[in-house]
Amino acid sequence: MSVENIQIGLLGLGTVGRGVYRIITGNAENIKRKVGVGLEIKKIMVRDTSRQRGIEIDPGKLTNKVEDILNDPEIKIVVEVMGGIEPTLDYVSRALENGKSVVTANKDMIAVYGKQLFAMAEANNADLLFEASVAGGIPIIRPLKQCLSANRITQIIGIINGTTNYMLTKMTEEGSDFADVLREAQAKGYAEADPTSDIEGYDAARKLAILASIAFNSRIVLDDVYVEGITKITAEDIAYAGELNYIVKLLGIAKETGDGVEVRVHPTLIPRDHPLASVNDVYNAIFVTGDAVGDTMFYGRGAGEMPTASAVVADVMDAARDLLRNVPGLISCTCYEEKPVKDMGSTESKYYVRLDVTDRPGVLASIAYAFGDKEVSLASVLQKQTDGNKAEIVLVTHRVHEKNMQEALEIIKHLSSVNAVANIIRVEGD
Amino acid sequence: MSVENIQIGLLGLGTVGRGVYRIITGNAENIKRKVGVGLEIKKIMVRDTSRQRGIEIDPGKLTNKVEDILNDPEIKIVVEVMGGIEPTLDYVSRALENGKSVVTANKDMIAVYGKQLFAMAEANNADLLFEASVAGGIPIIRPLKQCLSANRITQIIGIINGTTNYMLTKMTEEGSDFADVLREAQAKGYAEADPTSDIEGYDAARKLAILASIAFNSRIVLDDVYVEGITKITAEDIAYAGELNYIVKLLGIAKETGDGVEVRVHPTLIPRDHPLASVNDVYNAIFVTGDAVGDTMFYGRGAGEMPTASAVVADVMDAARDLLRNVPGLISCTCYEEKPVKDMGSTESKYYVRLDVTDRPGVLASIAYAFGDKEVSLASVLQKQTDGNKAEIVLVTHRVHEKNMQEALEIIKHLSSVNAVANIIRVEGD
């Protein structure tokens, strides 16, 4: 292929779309020298072509007809930054069927429909690149697919949602409550008006499904991921964790265990000296362990206009390079295995447990007995008087089966001196 | 190109060579599925073919004649893990001239002879890949060349020497002296019998030259890098830094300033809450700032048999993929600019200065006057009685020109109440 410029169609001109436009136009000369050919945004599909967008764009480039992009044979690369599944999935499918390479930032789509899209890309000899779909500007998809490809990846532990990391950082630094911090995050624009997807862990789960698929060479979809959000984390839990030298983070955890893979998103205690423990505010980080490389970590901004656009444009540059050398799909889907996903009952973990109890002789003994009976052994125990004859018992277990833990808790919560199992949080990384 | 297996020649079978052999043979099935073709080590050049190496290798693969690799048309990829310049540079040049792709872990060679080697690779339509030459297993070369390629990189700050990071971590944690920690590092095999290259900063300087060349798209060679080692860092400096909330690290710093690039390796105070401050022991980390992506960091093991081999084999897999699709050199040298390198006098920094003084009235005033006269303004000052009428004054400046700083110190060291300028360390990252 030999052309003056490679023509690009942009689906969407929201936050990330504007960033993509800014980089491709503002950094044009460098991009051309790195790729060997210039990139030109020929058409941009938006819902309303007359809307003001705070960015100067030739109105002739704007269209509200997706066909102007999908059916234009000059457009070789389609950049999808409109998000969502409907009608995006249809647009992306048609672009691939028309032999166009696609770059997308859409984790929702890839985490659920990845398999069919990669098959389409392969059948049509096109690139389907999605670095921006996980952890914004942080290079992680390509490092996993290429730089660490000589390894058998054994685990990935990631802080992959900026909103909840900001909230947990504030709760840790200021001792504030969940509800107050959520309001503050919403006021600052770090959390959405409907924060469900972030605080309930679904956003992280989508990203984890994508990462685990690449790391383990086996398709993991959103439904495979166990998900628990941060809404039950209290200022007390964070304070107790601190006393025990732990930090509370919402982690995406994927492990290959030999008899299947574990994929789960939940609040987690990690040791204060773990590299992930000092990843604060809206920053993301992905901690990857490989059998040869050992522990590695990738850190940076997981969202935002320019960081996300940085990843999108890098993918566009790769797609352009592949087109120029006529090798689209150079590195395609790597899910060549079918590994079973373990159910949570058969996973193993350490646990932090906080119990509200009535402070009378024998209470700790009856709790300890119930744990012991289910083969849950305890690593540390704190007991604190709270109010009158009430007390809180906080304990951390050794590594146990989730199933045993749940059975022990079922007995404990019915003990006469136990008023409530106030919280249970998994412990990782030590 | 369509073949059963891609044949590889290995130059050297030391620590990294053994790791490469272990991964390519032990992970053969996965590699084949990821690349699309198997990799086979056909010949290994060693000095002494009869020596025991603690690894089982078909003796028929061993040779002491480099021609058995360089002149074998079946060998498509040459992996250079013998190190050094002589005769390595000659071997690698001949491999490239014979149209073979080359993967190397050799920072010494790339940092000095990179330009001519990349030109050779390009002329002969071959890949020259070198991920393992910087920071062992940590993906950083490809992330800079591809994943962050939409950015204008503004700075790189790296902990890129494991030996010195181990030593400084020990000095910080245990308050021990440089000489004691060096002996301990040598006993543990973390420092070599002749530790010069590590402790004087030359090893880090080579890696920084490579990183800066890629980041700034302009060839930087070893001679361009200002180098200062850690031999003058004392337990006192580390303790004072701690009091001021700083950690002492040996950093490689590369900045694009608009009027040229700065490339320097020296001990540095960084704030305790900087992501690099908690990178301890033999771990490496590279902190990269781009105009779009913002701050990112790449963390992991910077040396060792398997981490380094992880990077080498990933490069071999990429070279194999390129051969299979007939696009070697897909991403070649990106040094298309010629940016001037600034001399140290015109760089700017904050400084930590420790002075041994005679404790008498007016001593601080005369020092402060000398700094002020050269436009060096002070951010903080500590004064401590040491012994009798002796005192130490420790101060941190605001951002100043190196030249002004040196002129001020020239005056200060001749003040009658100043016994010695005990140490000067640059401050970065806040």
Side-chain angles (χ1 to χ4, degrees):
Chain A
M1 184 173 167
S2 162
V3 285
E4 186 72 7
N5 282 330
I6 286 184
Q7 305 290 327
I8 295 163
L10 203 55
L11 302 179
L13 191 59
T15 309
V16 177
R18 278 196 301 273
V20 169
Y21 188 89
R22 284 198 174 101
I23 295 178
I24 289 184
T25 52
N27 203 4
E29 189 51 37
N30 273 309
I31 290 174
K32 185 172 182 175
R33 295 177 87 164
K34 288 178 184 176
V35 175
V37 64
L39 302 181
E40 190 178 328
I41 296 176
K42 187 178 179 189
K43 282 282 175 198
I44 304 170
M45 193 206 68
V46 293
R47 224 176 293 175
D48 175 1
T49 56
S50 64
R51 204 179 120 201
Q52 289 301 313
R53 296 164 197 283
I55 180 171
E56 207 175 302
I57 292 181
D58 169 8
K61 289 190 186 292
L62 298 178
T63 176
N64 54 16
K65 294 189 197 67
V66 74
E67 287 72 21
D68 288 349
I69 288 173
L70 302 184
N71 298 339
D72 183 339
E74 274 186 15
I75 290 178
K76 303 294 182 193
I77 301 172
V78 171
V79 176
E80 185 277 298
V81 284
M82 52 193 284
I85 305 288
E86 283 298 336
T88 320
L89 178 64
D90 174 53
Y91 294 172
V92 166
S93 305
R94 285 158 63 192
L96 291 170
E97 281 164 359
N98 290 349
K100 300 182 192 311
S101 287
V102 171
V103 173
T104 176
N106 192 326
K107 61 185 170 298
D108 306 40
M109 184 176 68
I110 297 289
V112 178
Y113 300 98
K115 190 177 179 179
Q116 69 187 65
L117 292 173
F118 291 118
M120 254 178 230
E122 206 153 344
N124 291 285
N125 202 27
D127 271 324
L128 172 58
L129 303 176
F130 53 100
E131 180 67 70
S133 67
V134 179
I138 306 173
I140 185 63
I141 304 294
R142 190 169 291 277
L144 282 175
K145 281 204 169 196
Q146 278 184 273
C147 311
L148 300 176
S149 60
N151 288 261
R152 185 179 147 258
I153 303 294
T154 53
Q155 71 168 10
I156 287 183
I157 306 183
I159 295 175
I160 45 182
N161 179 270
T163 304
T164 48
N165 202 45
Y166 171 82
M167 290 176 61
L168 291 170
T169 302
K170 283 284 156 197
M171 288 174 76
T172 303
E173 287 174 354
E174 296 167 7
S176 19
D177 274 324
F178 178 83
D180 294 337
V181 169
L182 177 57
R183 265 192 301 275
E184 190 195 324
Q186 286 172 320
K188 286 196 175 177
Y190 292 158
E192 294 180 45
D194 176 359
T196 312
S197 171
D198 291 320
I199 64 176
E200 294 293 0
Y202 302 125
D203 174 82
R206 291 184 178 97
K207 295 168 183 167
L208 186 66
I210 296 172
L211 291 177
S213 298
I214 300 167
F216 304 145
N217 303 116
S218 182
R219 176 73 48 205
I220 313 283
V221 297
L222 177 59
D223 278 349
D224 293 326
V225 184
Y226 170 85
V227 191
E228 214 179 278
I230 65 164
T231 54
K232 286 188 293 189
I233 302 297
T234 66
E236 290 75 44
D237 292 317
I238 289 177
Y240 282 126
E243 269 187 64
L244 295 160
N245 260 318
Y246 290 102
I247 300 278
V248 180
K249 294 288 187 188
L250 179 70
L251 298 184
I253 299 174
K255 296 190 182 197
E256 173 155 25
T257 63
D259 59 339
V261 298
E262 291 178 16
V263 274
R264 43 198 170 95
V265 168
H266 50 69
T268 317
L269 269 64
I270 52 168
R272 204 188 284 281
D273 61 357
H274 191 283
L276 287 169
S278 49
V279 174
N280 287 325
D281 301 319
V282 296
Y283 278 89
N284 282 200
I286 298 127
F287 192 82
V288 181
T289 308
D291 62 347
V293 76
D295 293 335
T296 59
M297 191 173 80
F298 304 79
Y299 165 97
R301 291 190 173 271
E305 173 181 334
M306 298 309 280
T308 308
S310 160
V312 170
V313 178
D315 274 352
V316 172
M317 291 168 72
D318 279 320
R321 244 185 230 113
D322 288 353
L323 283 167
L324 202 63
R325 298 288 292 261
N326 202 23
V327 288
L330 186 63
I331 301 182
S332 56
C333 181
T334 47
C335 288
Y336 51 77
E337 305 220 41
E338 287 193 25
K339 296 178 181 170
V341 176
K342 289 165 80 168
D343 65 62
M344 279 304 280
S346 64
T347 65
E348 276 187 13
S349 188
K350 297 181 180 186
Y351 294 82
Y352 155 103
V353 181
R354 177 161 61 90
L355 303 168
D356 289 344
V357 302
T358 304
D359 191 14
R360 61 184 174 216
V363 53
L364 188 56
S366 61
I367 291 165
Y369 179 82
F371 277 124
D373 194 44
K374 295 296 176 185
E375 290 175 7
V376 175
S377 77
L378 305 178
S380 54
V381 178
L382 287 178
Q383 178 162 352
K384 300 237 168 173
Q385 212 67 31
T386 48
D387 178 31
N389 69 337
K390 298 280 174 65
E392 280 194 319
I393 294 179
V394 171
L395 42 87
V396 175
T397 73
H398 285 296
R399 222 170 155 68
V400 296
H401 267 101
E402 169 101 6
K403 189 166 166 291
N404 293 29
M405 187 67 196
Q406 296 298 349
E407 289 174 1
L409 288 170
E410 191 55 34
I411 293 165
I412 287 165
K413 76 181 177 196
H414 291 105
L415 293 174
S416 63
S417 49
V418 172
N419 304 318
V421 176
N423 215 345
I424 314 155
I425 311 175
R426 292 178 189 79
V427 180
E428 195 71 38
D430 60 0
Chain B
M1 184 176 168
S2 163
V3 284
E4 186 73 8
N5 283 328
I6 287 185
Q7 304 290 326
I8 295 163
L10 203 56
L11 302 179
L13 191 60
T15 309
V16 177
R18 278 196 302 274
V20 169
Y21 188 89
R22 284 198 175 102
I23 295 178
I24 289 183
T25 53
N27 204 4
E29 189 50 37
N30 272 309
I31 290 174
K32 186 173 180 174
R33 294 178 87 165
K34 288 179 183 174
V35 175
V37 65
L39 303 182
E40 189 178 331
I41 296 177
K42 186 179 181 189
K43 281 282 174 198
I44 305 170
M45 194 207 68
V46 293
R47 225 177 292 175
D48 175 1
T49 56
S50 64
R51 202 178 121 204
Q52 289 300 313
R53 297 165 196 282
I55 182 172
E56 207 176 301
I57 292 182
D58 170 8
K61 288 188 186 293
L62 297 179
T63 176
N64 54 17
K65 295 190 198 64
V66 74
E67 287 72 21
D68 288 348
I69 289 173
L70 301 184
N71 297 340
D72 182 340
E74 274 186 15
I75 290 178
K76 303 294 182 193
I77 301 173
V78 171
V79 176
E80 184 276 298
V81 283
M82 53 193 284
I85 304 286
E86 282 298 335
T88 320
L89 179 64
D90 174 52
Y91 294 173
V92 167
S93 305
R94 284 158 64 193
L96 291 170
E97 281 164 359
N98 289 349
K100 300 183 192 310
S101 287
V102 171
V103 173
T104 177
N106 193 325
K107 60 185 171 297
D108 305 39
M109 184 175 70
I110 297 289
V112 178
Y113 300 98
K115 188 176 180 180
Q116 68 187 65
L117 291 172
F118 292 119
M120 255 180 230
E122 206 153 343
N124 293 284
N125 202 26
D127 270 324
L128 172 58
L129 303 175
F130 53 100
E131 180 67 70
S133 67
V134 179
I138 306 173
I140 184 64
I141 303 294
R142 190 170 293 277
L144 282 175
K145 281 204 169 196
Q146 277 184 275
C147 311
L148 300 177
S149 60
N151 288 263
R152 185 178 147 258
I153 303 294
T154 53
Q155 69 168 10
I156 288 184
I157 306 183
I159 295 175
I160 45 181
N161 179 270
T163 304
T164 48
N165 202 45
Y166 171 83
M167 291 176 61
L168 291 171
T169 301
K170 284 284 157 201
M171 290 174 75
T172 303
E173 287 174 354
E174 296 167 6
S176 17
D177 273 325
F178 177 83
D180 295 335
V181 169
L182 176 57
R183 264 191 302 274
E184 189 196 325
Q186 286 172 319
K188 289 198 174 177
Y190 292 159
E192 294 179 44
D194 176 0
T196 312
S197 171
D198 290 320
I199 65 177
E200 294 293 1
Y202 302 125
D203 175 82
R206 291 184 177 96
K207 295 168 183 168
L208 186 66
I210 295 172
L211 291 177
S213 298
I214 298 167
F216 304 146
N217 304 114
S218 182
R219 177 73 48 204
I220 312 286
V221 296
L222 177 59
D223 278 350
D224 293 326
V225 184
Y226 169 85
V227 191
E228 214 179 278
I230 65 164
T231 54
K232 284 187 295 188
I233 301 297
T234 66
E236 291 75 45
D237 291 318
I238 289 177
Y240 283 127
E243 269 189 64
L244 295 160
N245 260 319
Y246 290 102
I247 301 277
V248 180
K249 295 286 185 190
L250 180 70
L251 298 183
I253 299 172
K255 296 189 182 195
E256 172 153 26
T257 62
D259 59 337
V261 298
E262 290 178 17
V263 273
R264 43 197 170 96
V265 168
H266 51 68
T268 316
L269 270 61
I270 51 167
R272 204 188 283 280
D273 60 358
H274 191 283
L276 287 170
S278 49
V279 174
N280 287 325
D281 301 317
V282 296
Y283 278 89
N284 282 199
I286 299 127
F287 191 83
V288 181
T289 308
D291 62 347
V293 76
D295 293 334
T296 60
M297 191 172 80
F298 303 80
Y299 165 97
R301 289 190 174 272
E305 174 182 332
M306 298 308 282
T308 308
S310 161
V312 170
V313 178
D315 274 353
V316 172
M317 291 168 72
D318 279 321
R321 241 183 234 118
D322 288 353
L323 283 166
L324 202 63
R325 297 289 293 262
N326 202 22
V327 288
L330 186 64
I331 301 182
S332 57
C333 181
T334 47
C335 288
Y336 51 77
E337 304 221 41
E338 287 192 24
K339 296 178 180 169
V341 176
K342 289 166 79 166
D343 65 61
M344 279 305 280
S346 63
T347 65
E348 276 188 13
S349 188
K350 296 181 180 186
Y351 295 83
Y352 154 103
V353 181
R354 178 162 61 91
L355 302 168
D356 290 342
V357 302
T358 305
D359 191 14
R360 61 184 178 218
V363 52
L364 188 57
S366 61
I367 291 166
Y369 179 82
F371 276 124
D373 196 43
K374 295 295 176 184
E375 290 175 10
V376 175
S377 78
L378 305 178
S380 54
V381 179
L382 288 178
Q383 178 160 353
K384 300 235 168 175
Q385 212 68 27
T386 49
D387 177 32
N389 68 340
K390 299 278 174 64
E392 281 194 318
I393 293 179
V394 172
L395 43 86
V396 175
T397 73
H398 285 295
R399 221 171 155 67
V400 295
H401 266 102
E402 169 100 8
K403 190 166 165 291
N404 292 31
M405 187 67 195
Q406 296 298 350
E407 288 174 2
L409 288 171
E410 192 55 36
I411 292 165
I412 286 165
K413 75 180 176 197
H414 290 107
L415 293 174
S416 63
S417 49
V418 171
N419 305 318
V421 176
N423 216 343
I424 314 156
I425 312 176
R426 291 175 188 82
V427 180
E428 195 71 40
D430 61 359

